[in-house]
Amino acid sequence: MLTSTVCAAVSAGGLGIALLTAYRKRFLAATRIAAFALIPIGLVMTGIIDWVTDLVFKPTVWAGFGVLALSALLFLVSRAAERRGSGGHDLPPAGGPDALTPGAPAIGAPAGRPEGRSKTKGRKGTGGEFDDIEAILKKHGI
């Protein structure tokens, strides 16, 4: 009730200022002032002001915001702990415990070379991947 009265008074004062501005032949400014002056009374008429005052002045609403904030905080803490790797490992790692890491040699492959590469690959005259480059260099006399 009090908020409705205050909003009506603010709108009436704004419309009075708009009339004085229009009297001074500043119609564009008067139109803008009138537009701003009608906002408070429009909010009261739609019921938004009553909803906002109920929201602000009820302790249970603030308790609800507190519970939501606590929930968000717990979520953020759990995400941060998960990223650091110190969280409880709820899920097994992808691929299980026997999964190889990328670049690791396969079982039975020689220790010094990745799987599938021969000792002679890339050497002169062996049909390696550098034969084309060698041919170009020889063509130019290098």
Side-chain angles (χ1 to χ4, degrees):
M1 178 74 181
L2 180 63
T3 55
S4 301
T5 307
V6 170
C7 287
V10 168
S11 290
L15 289 174
I17 292 171
L19 286 174
L20 288 174
T21 306
Y23 179 73
R24 294 181 185 163
K25 306 280 189 213
R26 299 185 61 210
F27 298 111
L28 186 61
T31 305
R32 286 190 189 132
I33 293 170
F36 281 115
L38 292 174
I39 290 174
I41 197 68
L43 292 174
V44 168
M45 294 173 80
T46 59
I48 293 174
I49 294 294
D50 292 332
W51 178 76
V52 169
T53 55
D54 286 343
L55 181 77
V56 171
F57 294 119
K58 284 188 178 176
T60 55
V61 172
W62 286 106
F65 280 123
V67 169
L68 288 174
L70 178 65
S71 171
L73 180 68
L74 289 174
F75 179 73
L76 291 174
V77 166
S78 69
R79 293 286 293 181
E82 181 182 30
R83 286 189 181 174
R84 287 184 164 226
S86 63
H89 300 284
D90 294 336
L91 297 174
D98 296 333
L100 292 175
T101 58
I107 297 173
R113 293 181 307 265
E115 183 181 352
R117 295 194 74 181
S118 67
K119 291 181 185 178
T120 60
K121 192 166 192 178
R123 290 191 183 165
K124 234 180 188 181
T126 60
E129 47 192 49
F130 294 110
D131 286 344
D132 294 336
I133 296 172
E134 289 178 12
I136 294 171
L137 291 174
K138 285 181 184 177
K139 180 180 174 183
H140 292 285
I142 298 176

